[in-house]
Amino acid sequence: MLFRSASREVVMLNGASANGTSRRWPDAHYLELARMLVRDPNRAVLLLCGPGERELAAKLEQTAAHPRIRSMANRDMGFGLAKASLLRGQVLVTTDNGPRHIAAAFQIPTVLLAGPIDPRANANANLREISLRTELACQPCGKLECPLRHTQCMNNLHPNRVYLAVRGMLDACRRNAA
């Protein structure tokens, strides 16, 4: 069992990308967001990861050193476990990757870190998804590696902005459950 209480709000973070560096959110941003989220004692953070992202998820969990920030790095993250993990959480924060599209199938509230992608061109059927991006002249490039070698489209997505989006989604989930 990852968390002691089954009644906690769980926010899932999955911002790495095995498909190039341009879609990767900085590690420091992940940590800052995770720490902001667990300031609420009834909230936990689950770091999701694919096979190529396990090392990163394990490193983030170890660096966070918090009992309510856990990763799936030591588990075989097959399709079944990925679905079960997504269904356990209340909100997913992700880049444009597999878990985003699984979340769409179940209408899981999702905060998309759009970075280099055009959210309209990469749209899915999740009516409960919002996309966050910065406004840069080079966006959307859609490239796996930043052609300008700065990845500012991801670096400039500050954790506080993502936190506010997650809080808004959690508030909406609570209102809808009442």
Side-chain angles (χ1 to χ4, degrees):
M1 183 178 201
L2 286 172
F3 304 111
R4 290 190 179 143
S5 170
S7 64
R8 290 190 200 284
E9 288 180 332
V10 177
V11 176
M12 300 154 298
L13 303 183
N14 186 52
S17 178
N19 295 326
T21 59
S22 70
R23 297 180 185 191
R24 184 171 168 182
W25 207 37
D27 297 355
H29 287 12
Y30 274 121
L31 285 171
E32 187 176 344
L33 176 61
R35 288 176 174 147
M36 292 167 80
L37 289 165
V38 297
R39 286 183 194 148
D40 182 327
N42 293 313
R43 189 174 301 133
V45 170
L46 181 59
L47 303 166
L48 302 178
C49 58
E53 301 150 358
R54 286 182 176 175
E55 188 176 312
L56 170 63
K59 178 182 128 190
L60 290 172
E61 179 181 10
Q62 182 180 11
T63 304
H66 192 286
R68 287 182 282 113
I69 300 174
R70 295 283 182 236
S71 79
M72 299 298 287
N74 294 324
R75 291 177 170 75
D76 180 15
M77 202 56 184
F79 189 70
L81 184 55
K83 285 190 321 186
S85 299
L86 288 166
L87 288 168
R88 169 59 183 95
Q90 283 67 47
V91 175
L92 170 66
V93 177
T94 188
T95 58
D96 183 33
N97 53 33
R100 173 190 177 217
H101 300 290
I102 297 169
F106 296 104
Q107 293 297 300
I108 295 167
T110 300
V111 176
L112 171 64
L113 306 175
I117 70 161
D118 181 346
R120 295 166 301 200
N122 291 38
N124 62 33
N126 193 345
L127 301 175
R128 300 174 75 190
E129 177 181 279
I130 61 168
S131 62
L132 299 180
R133 57 183 296 226
T134 54
E135 295 299 324
L136 297 171
C138 55
Q139 282 181 294
C141 73
K143 305 288 185 191
L144 296 178
E145 302 295 332
C146 178
L148 301 176
R149 301 178 197 263
H150 61 59
T151 62
Q152 290 303 307
C153 58
M154 292 302 277
N155 296 339
N156 291 351
L157 280 174
H158 294 283
N160 192 57
R161 183 173 173 207
V162 178
Y163 173 76
L164 292 173
V166 170
R167 288 255 337 253
M169 288 193 144
L170 289 169
D171 290 345
C173 287
R174 279 188 230 106
R175 281 192 306 272
N176 291 338

